[in-house]
Amino acid sequence: MTPSRVRWHLGRVLSRQFETEAAIRLELDVPTWPGNVAGAHLDIRLTAPDGYQASRSYSLASSGESTRVVLVIQELPGGEVSPFLVRQLAEGEEVEVQGPLGRFFVWIPAEPEQSPVQLIAGGSGVVPLFSMASAREREPKGADFRLLYSVRSPRDEFFADELAELSRTIVEIVHTRESAPGAGRPPRRLTREALAASTFPASLSPRIFVCGPTPFVEAVAGWLVELGHDPAQIRTERFGGSP
Amino acid sequence: MGVINGGFGGRHGSSDPRLPPGQTHVYDWPVLSTGPTPNVDEGRWSFTITTEDEVTHRWNWGELQEVGVEDVVTDIHCVTHWSKLDMAWRGVPMDRLFEDVETSYDYVMVRSYGGYTTNLPLEDLLDGQAWLATEAEGEPLTPEHGGPARLLVPHLYFWKSAKWVRGMEMMPSDDPGFWEQNGYHLRGDPWREERYW
């Protein structure tokens, strides 16, 4: 897929389904959407009746040629746009979207690839990485994939069913606050040692994609460098701030 | 396109006239970087400007301080839709660093520790519009925000304000830098919403 010029599109909500208590899965029909690579994102622009507008960026959970795009949006308490998208935006309603955006934090199956691909997600940062694992799933041949997904509790997991069904990506989920009943191990925060044990070693020179809240990505990317990974092989996408 | 989202009220936090279109006022300071944060020691830090005659102007950390810093209060605008208003910065004006630089080229490629690049017209770096910043909000720049030194070009989207900056190379044409090769606008004026191409 060659990069297409970014433009505004009109999307209509085909379905909305709670992914967790505080996150919505939105499927949009965007007739003019040119398709997107895995890992890409888009901007949503909302317009209030008085003309006031607000825009935000969201990662796409879907990829490929389809004009149906899937987003999973986490509600940010006190946020301006996400509470409307999660709680109010109705099936059949239209929104303006701009995209597809992003050509760096992406995985393109056609690229010849010798080294394995390691995905590392913190919380809702799993969305673009799920998109990459799904794209890999559609290819009969390709690089080895692993996903390490750090999330507060089983109730907070995105794509729980889909992740369990992936056959071409090894998935490991770390619960940081609350374990699954009968899991046999307590919740734990990710450490450098746990990271090393659950990811491809530096000796395999994996390409690495890390996405999550800023402190998570800072910690993980720093550990990866300490573990001997080449910084040039590590691509990051962060959200949220530092004080 | 004229879509109205009936149930959307919005906070109208974007009504401040200092906010360019499509921007929202934030109070924290989001971090955006393409890879791991490089650790750049002030002891091994240097900044260079290289011209078409292969003349290199170089400053180490101590020499940079001697050039003279100034305080700047300015707004910054990130292409990911947030703006931070009235930030207090301290840095060396790019005008002073270019004082002895002789070039007939009109464009600059900015290079950072860690490999990041971004392109700018020279005129966007001069006339009191740009600084080599070493402090923000009264504190030395932290590594995740580009410390020890980052470029500060507040009238353009903030990806132009390269973190961990280490040098500038004069160029005859406006060749794209990192994000400019990855779908982002060659110049990035937030008031014209020059976000993507």
Side-chain angles (χ1 to χ4, degrees):
Chain A
M1 209 175 309
T2 51
S4 352
R5 199 182 162 83
V6 172
R7 50 158 290 201
W8 284 98
H9 306 267
L10 210 48
R12 190 170 50 85
V13 181
L14 285 176
S15 70
R16 46 175 287 125
Q17 202 178 343
F18 276 93
E19 188 76 13
T20 68
E21 280 177 20
I24 196 83
R25 183 187 297 222
L26 294 177
E27 188 185 7
L28 303 180
D29 178 35
V30 189
T32 55
W33 190 253
N36 64 274
V37 295
H41 58 281
L42 52 63
D43 285 353
I44 293 185
R45 181 167 70 191
L46 300 177
T47 305
D50 65 0
Y52 171 78
Q53 292 186 322
S55 305
R56 295 291 187 278
S57 297
Y58 295 101
S59 286
L60 290 149
S62 55
S63 68
E65 303 286 344
S66 177
T67 55
R68 292 186 173 194
V69 305
V70 179
L71 304 165
V72 180
I73 295 167
Q74 175 85 32
E75 182 175 23
L76 223 69
E80 182 182 33
V81 170
S82 62
F84 173 82
L85 297 175
V86 173
R87 307 286 168 193
Q88 283 180 268
L89 182 70
E91 277 179 22
E93 195 169 344
E94 288 179 317
V95 287
E96 289 176 296
V97 298
Q98 187 178 24
L101 304 174
R103 294 178 199 168
F104 178 68
F105 197 82
V106 297
W107 182 73
I108 299 168
E111 286 174 354
E113 198 152 38
Q114 303 302 320
S115 49
V117 174
Q118 177 68 56
L119 312 173
I120 305 174
S124 61
V126 73
V127 176
L129 305 183
F130 169 74
S131 178
M132 294 178 194
S134 300
R136 172 68 189 88
E137 200 70 9
R138 294 195 297 267
E139 303 295 317
K141 285 187 199 167
D144 289 341
F145 264 54
R146 278 181 89 156
L147 166 65
L148 176 61
Y149 179 15
S150 168
V151 61
R152 292 169 60 92
S153 75
R155 284 177 290 111
D156 294 298
E157 278 174 32
F158 288 6
F159 314 111
D161 297 342
E162 289 97 330
L163 290 177
E165 285 169 10
L166 289 177
S167 64
R168 295 183 164 122
T169 298
I170 298 168
V171 178
E172 181 161 347
I173 300 177
V174 176
H175 295 123
T176 59
R177 298 289 173 83
E178 196 182 304
S179 310
R185 69 177 177 205
R188 61 200 168 112
R189 284 186 66 114
L190 197 60
T191 60
R192 188 178 73 176
E193 288 61 40
L195 180 75
S198 303
T199 51
F200 289 120
S203 57
L204 295 177
S205 304
R207 296 181 62 198
I208 307 177
F209 296 87
V210 190
C211 184
T214 291
F216 175 85
V217 175
E218 279 297 314
V220 167
W223 289 332
L224 290 168
V225 173
E226 289 169 15
L227 290 168
H229 293 276
D230 177 359
Q233 290 280 81
I234 305 168
R235 298 186 178 198
T236 61
E237 197 158 82
R238 298 159 165 85
F239 47 82
S242 69
Chain B
M1 291 193 202
V3 173
I4 302 291
N5 300 105
F8 178 62
R11 268 206 302 265
H12 290 66
S14 304
S15 312
D16 193 307
R18 293 172 295 175
L19 288 174
Q23 295 297 106
T24 297
H25 186 187
V26 299
Y27 296 90
D28 63 350
W29 189 1
V31 175
L32 291 106
S33 309
T34 61
T37 298
N39 280 311
V40 184
D41 179 49
E42 287 169 15
R44 75 171 176 100
W45 182 92
S46 74
F47 178 75
T48 57
I49 300 176
T50 307
T51 69
E52 61 269 36
D53 306 319
E54 292 182 22
V55 175
T56 298
H57 303 256
R58 182 185 302 273
W59 295 264
N60 66 25
W61 188 254
E63 289 162 347
L64 181 77
Q65 314 304 316
E66 285 167 21
V67 175
V69 293
E70 65 182 36
D71 291 316
V72 189
V73 174
T74 188
D75 308 333
I76 66 172
H77 311 292
C78 178
V79 71
T80 64
H81 300 288
W82 56 266
S83 292
K84 223 169 141 51
L85 302 178
D86 280 338
M87 280 192 85
W89 290 82
R90 175 170 287 179
V92 176
M94 288 310 304
D95 290 305
R96 296 219 187 117
L97 298 172
F98 271 97
E99 251 167 30
D100 297 325
V101 175
E102 285 183 29
T103 179
S104 61
Y105 287 174
D106 292 330
Y107 301 96
V108 175
M109 184 63 81
V110 182
R111 297 189 186 279
S112 295
Y113 293 96
Y116 183 76
T117 57
T118 189
N119 58 294
L120 288 145
L122 179 57
E123 62 179 18
D124 277 316
L125 291 174
L126 302 179
D127 297 326
Q129 298 183 95
W131 295 264
L132 198 55
T134 54
E135 291 183 26
E137 309 289 31
E139 301 285 341
L141 273 176
T142 59
E144 61 187 13
H145 287 301
R150 77 180 296 165
L151 189 59
L152 174 65
V153 194
H155 69 288
L156 299 177
Y157 281 124
F158 219 49
W159 85 78
K160 294 288 185 182
S161 295
K163 299 178 183 183
W164 316 298
V165 66
R166 65 174 174 85
M168 294 183 175
E169 250 166 60
M170 299 308 303
M171 305 190 284
S173 56
D174 203 6
D175 297 343
F178 177 82
W179 281 122
E180 295 83 2
Q181 291 172 44
N182 282 287
Y184 289 81
H185 196 275
L186 213 51
R187 177 145 185 274
D189 180 346
W191 294 97
R192 297 178 176 200
E193 280 211 271
E194 293 172 342
R195 296 177 190 275
Y196 320 112
W197 54 266

